């Protein structure tokens, strides 16, 4: 038994999954710079709440990154391009992120809020582009057997990067000012850039044909989508990607409303939601990598979908029980543990679906589809549903909303549609 667990944990200490950890660190920091860190900075400068919340629009770049992802797959950068398609874009976009973050720090909200907004949009665009190449580099660097461990390490890295950069920015800003804090935090882009130096160009990268002329360029832009749609059962797979996180997203984006209405204090929310939740998430990420290694991709994905659907029931129970710290700890702990497992197994599955000629574009598209439906429904209907049916029935509804994704994936397994097509990122070279 000990040997089997050691075998499941061994991939976490291999070179490529460790590289995924550093790639994740750089991916997470840029998001933090225009998230809680910028919100805190604007609030400290006395900017109105309406203006502060409007800055949430800077995150749109992360939802729309698939629109320019084909450039990362097809465009060869001058000068840097001789070092390889993936490494050149990794260094170029990393430099863009560092410059944009430094600009955001230099812009003073008291003098020009428009300049701060422009700089924040620049960070969002540069950070989303950095994400595109980081995801592509990670997928192509990992061997198929390492996708689970690599996805887990990437999740760890993202959390570390976001938390460390956000915390460091607050500490430095209190002592040296926001401009210095942002300039210092720009260095969090370096771990991913250094991975490109030491790990080299991913061995599994397959360069697509270079377009010649406007017609070929137009065809190349749509070729990643057309290639995916040409696979057997592609529409079913895309439907699964679109719906599988609806219930989970609906529940998660309304939890702070539930805690507020149940009368939990800020200290209680910080301890249970942030503290206990973060620890449970990290445990779930580790467990997800082990499950992926022990059960294989298909069964581990199905198990994680069932767990994530069931975790919503915990909040229905909490809503019915009222203000109880034990209930909050149990609900938050289970939800984050299940999300950690799902973050590994489902990310590994989406990674495995990518064709190695179009990794950047296809993963950007799949990751965007995975979140857009839940976010749209939450923003347009969640508040009204809570007011109309109450929290208990709302979280029961989110559980039901997660079941179509579970049922669809079970059908895909039975019909053979959950298998990764030959030539995709999840197929070992010997099986291609």
């Amino acid at each position: 038994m000990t040997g089997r667990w050691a075998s499941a944990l061994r991939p976490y200490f291999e070179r490529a999954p460790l590289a995924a950890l550093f790639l994740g660190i750089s991916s997470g920091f840029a998001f933090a710079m225009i998230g809680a860190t910028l919100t805190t900075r604007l609030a400290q400068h006395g900017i109105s709440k309406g203006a502060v919340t409007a800055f949430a629009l800077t995150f749109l770049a992360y939802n729309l990154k698939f629109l320019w992802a084909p450039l990362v797959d097809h465009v060869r950068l001058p000068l840097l391009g001789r070092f390889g398609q993936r490494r050149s874009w990794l260094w170029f976009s990393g430099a863009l992120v560092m410059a944009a973050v430094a600009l955001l720090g230099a812009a003073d909200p008291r003098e020009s809020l428009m300049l701060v907004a422009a700089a924040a949009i620049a960070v969002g665009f540069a950070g989303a582009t950095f994400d595109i190449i980081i995801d592509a580099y990670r997928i192509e660097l990992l061997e198929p057997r390492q996708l689970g461990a690599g996805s887990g390490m990437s999740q760890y890295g993202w959390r570390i990067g976001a938390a460390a950069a956000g915390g460091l920015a607050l500490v430095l800003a209190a002592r040296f000012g926001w401009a210095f804090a942002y300039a210092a935090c720009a260095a969090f882009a370096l771990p991913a850039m250094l991975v490109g130096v030491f790990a080299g160009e991913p061995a599994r990268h397959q360069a697509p044909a270079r377009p010649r002329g406007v017609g070929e360029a137009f065809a190349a832009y749509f070729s990643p989508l057309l290639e995916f749609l040409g696979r057997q059962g592609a529409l079913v797979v895309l439907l699964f990607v679109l719906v599988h996180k609806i219930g989970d997203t609906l529940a998660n984006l309304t939890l702070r409303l539930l805690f507020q209405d149940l009368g939990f204090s800020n200290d209680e929310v910080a301890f249970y939601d942030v503290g206990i939740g973060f620890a449970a998430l990290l445990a779930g990420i580790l467990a997800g990598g082990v499950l992926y290694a022990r059960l294989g991709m298909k069964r581990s994905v199905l198990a994680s979908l069932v767990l994530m659907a069931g975790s919503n029931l915990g909040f229905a129970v909490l809503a019915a029980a009222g203000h109880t710290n034990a209930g909050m700890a149990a609900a938050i702990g289970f939800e984050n543990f299940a999300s950690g497992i799902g973050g590994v197994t489902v990310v590994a599955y989406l990674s495995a679906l990518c064709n190695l000629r179009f990794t950047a574009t296809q993963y950007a598209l799949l990751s965007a589809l995975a979140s857009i439906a839940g976010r749209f429904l939450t923003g347009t209907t969640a508040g009204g549903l809570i007011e109309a049916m109450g929290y208990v029935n709302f979280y029961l509804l989110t559980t039901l909303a997660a079941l179509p994704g579970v049922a669809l994936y079970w059908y895909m397994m039975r019909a053979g549609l959950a298998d990764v097509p030959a030539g995709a990122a999840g197929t070992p070279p010997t099986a291609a």
Side-chain angles (χ1 to χ4, degrees):
M1 178 65 72
T2 303
R4 294 174 66 183
W5 281 100
S7 177
L9 291 172
R10 190 175 298 116
Y12 281 95
F13 301 97
E14 295 174 347
R15 183 181 181 185
L18 286 173
L21 174 70
F22 291 99
L23 291 169
I25 290 173
S26 293
S27 176
F29 105 92
F31 196 87
M33 291 295 96
I34 55 174
T37 302
L38 181 58
T39 299
T40 301
R41 181 189 181 192
L42 294 174
Q44 289 181 355
H45 283 301
I47 307 302
S48 69
K49 289 183 174 61
V52 170
T53 55
F55 273 79
L57 294 174
T58 58
F59 292 109
L60 278 176
Y62 284 89
N63 295 110
L64 300 175
K65 60 185 180 182
F66 64 90
L67 293 177
W68 64 91
L71 298 177
V72 178
D73 274 330
H74 291 282
V75 174
R76 180 182 175 88
L77 294 173
L79 300 179
L80 283 176
R82 63 192 179 93
F83 293 102
Q85 184 74 4
R86 294 312 187 204
R87 291 204 297 172
S88 61
W89 272 96
L90 188 66
W91 297 333
F92 174 68
S93 57
L96 283 181
V97 169
M98 295 179 74
V101 168
L103 175 63
L104 180 57
D108 191 338
R110 292 166 299 190
E111 295 181 1
S112 176
L113 195 59
M114 289 300 295
L115 179 58
V116 174
I121 291 171
V123 173
F125 177 79
T129 305
F130 205 25
D131 262 14
I132 292 170
I133 185 58
I134 282 175
D135 287 330
Y137 192 99
R138 168 182 57 82
I139 293 168
E140 294 172 0
L141 188 67
L142 296 167
E143 298 176 18
R145 65 176 181 82
Q146 296 174 321
L147 283 176
S151 297
M153 293 295 267
S154 178
Q155 298 285 313
Y156 275 130
W158 198 98
R159 295 285 176 173
I160 291 169
L168 180 63
L170 293 176
V171 171
L172 293 179
R175 290 161 176 78
F176 306 106
W178 282 107
F180 180 87
Y182 270 76
C185 287
F188 276 87
L190 293 177
M193 298 170 73
L194 289 175
V195 167
V197 174
F198 292 105
E201 188 74 357
R204 297 213 298 157
H205 174 61
Q206 298 177 7
R210 202 169 305 281
R212 298 177 181 177
V214 176
E216 287 190 11
F218 184 80
Y221 181 86
F222 291 100
S223 57
L225 177 60
L226 294 176
E227 188 279 333
F228 195 97
L229 292 176
R231 303 181 196 175
Q232 180 184 4
L235 292 179
V236 176
V237 174
L238 288 177
L239 179 61
F240 163 74
V241 173
L242 185 66
V243 305
H244 81 279
K245 284 189 68 175
I246 289 179
D248 190 57
T249 305
L250 277 170
N252 276 277
L253 293 180
T254 58
L255 291 182
R256 290 298 174 92
L257 295 176
L258 171 67
F259 300 155
Q260 177 69 29
D261 288 348
L262 291 182
F264 287 101
S265 68
N266 288 346
D267 287 345
E268 288 172 327
V269 172
F271 179 75
Y272 292 104
D273 190 21
V274 179
I276 299 296
F278 184 67
L281 180 73
L282 295 184
I285 290 172
L286 178 61
V290 174
L291 278 178
Y292 186 91
R294 294 285 302 276
L295 300 180
M297 183 178 66
K298 291 185 290 186
R299 289 192 295 166
S300 64
V301 170
L302 181 62
S304 67
L305 292 173
V306 172
L307 286 173
M308 287 191 292
S311 68
N312 290 355
L313 289 174
F315 296 111
V317 173
L318 177 62
H323 188 148
T324 160
N325 288 342
M328 186 179 189
I332 285 291
F334 181 47
E335 193 280 329
N336 278 274
F337 183 75
S339 292
I341 293 175
V344 172
T345 59
V346 177
V347 167
Y349 174 65
L350 297 183
S351 301
L353 286 174
C354 297
N355 186 301
L356 290 171
R357 291 184 296 132
F358 313 114
T359 314
T361 305
Q362 290 186 347
Y363 189 83
L365 176 63
L366 291 171
S367 59
L369 283 177
S371 62
I372 194 168
R375 291 185 184 277
F376 174 78
L377 289 174
T378 300
T380 56
T381 64
L385 288 172
I386 291 172
E387 292 177 354
M389 62 176 57
Y391 283 109
V392 175
N393 289 330
F394 173 76
Y395 287 112
L396 290 176
L397 178 63
T398 65
T399 303
L400 292 176
L403 295 182
V406 178
L408 189 55
Y409 193 77
W410 179 83
Y411 164 76
M412 288 163 56
M413 290 179 63
R414 293 291 300 270
L417 299 179
D419 295 305
V420 180
T427 305
T430 56

